[in-house]
């Protein structure tokens, strides 16, 4: 008896995709960890989604501020490229600031290329390494609903505010730079703490809540490092002549 | 279909090497098979050239892919005996191929024959362009920094191309990995031109527009390529953005050195 295919066999019961076509099973469903397809589900975002997630980190009062807005799933595109953009911005605008102050004071410009590799190490280890470490520690204490991708996403998107800060820090006035760095620290620190504290609070041991203090302290250290390395490096050396130039005009 | 042969039961005792399925003849190892036209003509029983596909008028034939002993092998055949030609002819042919690809990437022609040139990817062109850029940028640098600048440039170009290719694949683009690497490497060529000009011109007000123009040209050339990879429309900016960053950092280095 040969199998007779019936018309009902052609009907699939796959859910209709919002864009109006039947979507085949996700390609990464059966891929192993070493396959590229395994990671495709973390890049399933549109341009508008990434942009929205980025600027939402600047608005503490928005309803989608907490990482609940990372539904249906957090993505890895935003965090990685935010961090990379941050590195480039830090380097480009600090060298711009150095040439600006040198131009204002007539001094010779000296570009420090080791700053680029320092920036890479610093930003990637803080933005990618620390959330993984924190996730491992929290896993040890029994917090299991928080995935490592969510952790990386929170940290990556949270550093978005440093990009406008580094653009504005080209202004060679010291007090303006301190204010900007302080504001950047406040906005990004609040985003991190607001997203991480609910997760830490679900651990059984109350002492684990001390971890949020560690998060805040490390973030303050990062802000200070940014200020010293990228936003004030050049103004310190030419401080005297720059003040002279500014008071003349 | 892969060129597999089923073992007939009465061949079990046959110790003749050539009738074991998948055996690779010593003169045609996979490494040799991939170098264009530098090996002898393909032995008949292993990978007969498959029917040609659509490259009218050009000297290239489509690469034939087969599975030999479980290894995917790509064989290219330029249609002539190339072992006996003088060395200059070999080198000239490769250089000409690089030149054609460069032209196709920088000044794409809409006709059909031009686009086929990019199918035969090679990584020599991107290597030469990348090294040229590194050399030009490090020549004029202060002596203590010139080595680190060269390293940085070569590192950025290679890692950047890799990352952008992987990113395009992850976003769902249908692109062959090495072909994308090849095209992105060729797209660095306008920056080479800008670096050459910047070697001789010191005025910032001339270098800035030239660097900017070279950057825009690079982006335009690579977006042309990405358009063919069938990434969804609402994600195309996500795929282009890494390119913007990547070429901008190179243009910035040209500008400030």
């Amino acid at each position: 008896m040969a199998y007779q295919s019936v018309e009902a066999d052609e009907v699939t019961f796959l859910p209709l995709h919002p864009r109006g076509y039947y979507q085949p099973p996700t390609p990464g469903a059966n891929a192993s960890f070493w396959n590229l397809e395994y990671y495709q589900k973390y890049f399933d975002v549109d341009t508008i989604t990434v942009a929205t997630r980025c600027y939402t980190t600047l608005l503490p009062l928005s309803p989608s501020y907490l990482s609940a807005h990372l539904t249906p799933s957090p993505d890895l595109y935003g965090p990685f490229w935010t961090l990379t953009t941050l590195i480039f911005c830090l380097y480009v605008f600090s060298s711009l600031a150095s040439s600006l102050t040198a131009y204002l004071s007539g001094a010779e410009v000296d570009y420090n290329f080791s700053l680029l590799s320092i920036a890479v190490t610093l930003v990637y280890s803080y933005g990618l390494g620390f959330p993984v470490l924190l996730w491992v520690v929290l896993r040890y204490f029994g917090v299991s609903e928080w995935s490592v991708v969510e952790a990386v996403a929170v940290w990556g998107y949270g550093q978005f505010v440093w990009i406008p800060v580094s653009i504005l820090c080209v202004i060679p006035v010291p007090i303006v730079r301190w204010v900007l760095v302080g504001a950047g620290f406040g906005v990004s620190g609040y985003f991190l703490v607001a997203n991480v504290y609910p997760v830490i609070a679900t651990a059984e041991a109350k002492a684990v809540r001390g971890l949020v203090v560690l998060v805040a302290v490390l973030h303050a250290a990062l802000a200070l490092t940014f200020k010293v390395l990228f936003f004030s490096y050049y103004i310190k050396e030419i401080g005297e002549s720059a003040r002279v130039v500014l008071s003349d005009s | 279909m892969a060129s597999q042969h089923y073992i007939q039961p009465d061949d079990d005792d046959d110790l003749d090497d050539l009738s074991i399925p998948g055996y690779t003849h010593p003169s045609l190892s996979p490494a040799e098979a991939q170098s264009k036209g530098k090996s002898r003509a393909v032995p008949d029983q292993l990978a007969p050239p498959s029917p040609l596909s659509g490259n009218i008028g050009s000297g290239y034939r489509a690469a034939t892919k087969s599975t030999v002993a479980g290894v995917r092998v790509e064989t290219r055949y330029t249609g002539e005996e190339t072992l006996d030609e003088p060395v200059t002819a070999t080198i000239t042919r490769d250089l000409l191929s690089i030149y054609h690809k460069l032209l196709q990437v920088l000044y794409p022609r809409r006709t059909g024959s031009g686009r086929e040139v990019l199918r035969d990817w090679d990584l020599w062109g991107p290597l030469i362009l990348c090294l040229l850029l590194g050399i030009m940028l490090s020549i004029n640098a202060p002596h203590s920094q010139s080595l680190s600048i060269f390293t940085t440039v070569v590192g950025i170009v290679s890692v950047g191309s890799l990352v952008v290719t992987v990113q395009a694949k992850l976003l769902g683009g249908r692109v062959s990995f090495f072909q994308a690497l090849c095209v992105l490497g060729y797209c660095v060529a306008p920056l080479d031109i800008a670096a050459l000009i910047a070697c001789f011109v010191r005025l910032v007000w001339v270098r800035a527009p030239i660097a900017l123009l070279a950057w825009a040209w690079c982006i335009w050339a690579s977006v042309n390529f990405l358009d063919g990879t069938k990434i969804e429309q609402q994600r195309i900016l996500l795929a282009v953005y890494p390119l913007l960053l990547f070429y901008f950092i190179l243009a910035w280095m040209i500008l400030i050195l």
Side-chain angles (χ1 to χ4, degrees), chain A residues 19 36 39-40 43-47 50 77 80-81 84-85 88 92 95-96 111-113 116, chain B residues 145 149 152 163 166-167 169-172 232 234-235 237-238 241-242 245 249 252-253 256-257:
Chain A
R19 292 191 201 115
L36 209 59
Y39 297 98
Q40 263 186 332
F43 287 87
D44 195 15
V45 277
D46 295 336
T47 313
V50 174
Y77 180 92
F80 179 70
W81 287 108
T84 313
T85 312
F88 287 160
V92 164
S95 49
L96 196 61
Y111 295 107
N112 189 357
F113 274 96
L116 184 58
Chain B
Q145 287 189 343
I149 290 175
T152 311
V163 168
V166 167
Q167 181 69 70
K169 281 189 87 82
L170 280 173
L171 282 174
E232 286 176 27
Q234 53 266 49
R235 297 186 187 184
L237 191 59
L238 289 185
Y241 178 71
L245 267 188
I249 194 74
W252 180 257
M253 292 186 81
I256 65 178
L257 276 171

Side-chain angles (χ1 to χ4, degrees), chain B residues 151-168:
Chain B
T151 324
T152 311
V153 169
V154 172
I156 286 180
V157 173
S158 32
V159 171
S161 312
L162 203 65
V163 168
V164 172
T165 309
V166 167
Q167 181 69 70

Side-chain angles (χ1 to χ4, degrees), chain A residues 79-80 82-84 86-87 90 117-135 146 148 150-162 184-194 196 211-226 229-230:
Chain A
F80 179 70
T82 309
L83 294 175
T84 313
L86 179 62
I87 292 173
L90 284 174
S117 35
I118 293 177
V120 168
T121 324
L122 184 64
V123 173
Y124 277 143
S125 55
Y126 181 76
L128 296 177
F130 179 64
V132 172
L133 218 60
L134 187 65
W135 176 78
W146 205 43
V148 68
E150 269 189 66
V152 169
V154 165
W155 251 264
Y157 280 117
Q159 311 312 317
F160 174 73
V161 72
W162 293 113
F185 165 68
V187 171
S188 52
Y190 183 68
F191 178 78
L192 285 181
V193 166
V196 156
L211 273 181
V212 78
V213 174
L214 176 66
V215 166
V217 163
L218 210 58
H219 199 65
L222 181 86
L224 218 57
T225 318
F226 278 173
L229 276 184
F230 299 106

Side-chain angles (χ1 to χ4, degrees), chain A residues 18-82:
Chain A
R19 292 191 201 115
Y21 49 87
Y22 286 113
Q23 198 175 32
T26 50
N30 299 326
S32 80
F33 178 72
W34 302 109
N35 255 351
L36 209 59
E37 285 80 23
Y38 177 82
Y39 297 98
Q40 263 186 332
K41 58 179 182 281
Y42 298 124
F43 287 87
D44 195 15
V45 277
D46 295 336
T47 313
I48 194 73
T49 317
V50 174
T52 315
R53 288 179 182 181
C54 274
Y55 75 72
T56 312
T57 66
L58 303 176
L59 311 167
L61 300 174
S62 122
S64 53
Y65 192 60
L66 297 182
S67 52
H69 80 283
L70 289 179
T71 53
S73 63
D75 68 301
L76 282 178
Y77 180 92
F80 179 70
W81 287 108
T82 309

